[in-house]
Amino acid sequence: MNRLALITGVGRRNSIAYAVAQQLASEGWDLLLNYWHPYDDRLELPRSNADLDELVTFARQQSVNVELLPVNLEDPSTPQKLIDHAEKLHREQGFGELTGLDQRSHRT
């Protein structure tokens, strides 16, 4: 049975979350990937618009399901929205059951 990992903070190639997502995809995990570019931009963190495209392409080359969900974790309702979305992907789109969570944040 497939497993689904919810990973936050994947919006930049130069991040731990990005590397975690690549590793889990290579191990066969389905991925729900969260990012929020306004946050990265506000902190002036370097990123490219191609970063996410390349991560999704890599995951699909590993034959796993992947979905991007850009939502702001500073909103207190967001964590529940992410969990609900993961459960919906499992029920309706054949993603694995949510069994992994990797939350990364960068504070200044």
Side-chain angles (χ1 to χ4, degrees):
M1 171 153 76
N2 288 358
R3 299 169 293 175
L4 171 61
L6 166 57
I7 305 172
T8 66
V10 299
R12 297 168 290 108
R13 177 192 319 271
N14 189 20
S15 72
I16 294 170
Y18 193 99
V20 168
Q22 286 182 314
Q23 181 62 40
L24 290 176
S26 71
E27 294 176 12
W29 286 72
D30 291 338
L31 303 174
L32 174 55
L33 305 175
N34 166 251
Y35 66 96
W36 189 245
H37 286 318
Y39 176 81
D40 295 338
D41 295 343
R42 187 175 73 235
L43 296 180
E44 299 180 358
L45 298 171
R47 67 174 180 82
S48 164
N49 290 331
D51 290 349
L52 287 171
D53 293 338
E54 292 172 11
L55 181 56
V56 168
T57 297
F58 175 81
R60 290 187 176 143
Q61 288 171 343
Q62 309 308 306
S63 299
V64 300
N65 296 311
V66 60
E67 178 147 338
L68 297 171
L69 190 59
V71 291
N72 185 356
L73 285 171
E74 293 177 325
D75 176 345
S77 68
T78 295
Q80 187 61 54
K81 288 177 185 175
L82 288 168
I83 298 298
D84 292 346
H85 195 77
E87 291 173 350
K88 182 178 178 181
L89 289 173
H90 175 65
R91 280 191 321 272
E92 298 177 8
Q93 295 186 29
F95 279 60
E97 187 173 358
L98 182 61
T99 54
L101 172 64
D102 185 80
Q103 189 272 326
R104 303 285 166 171
S105 65
H106 179 276
R107 296 280 183 208
T108 58

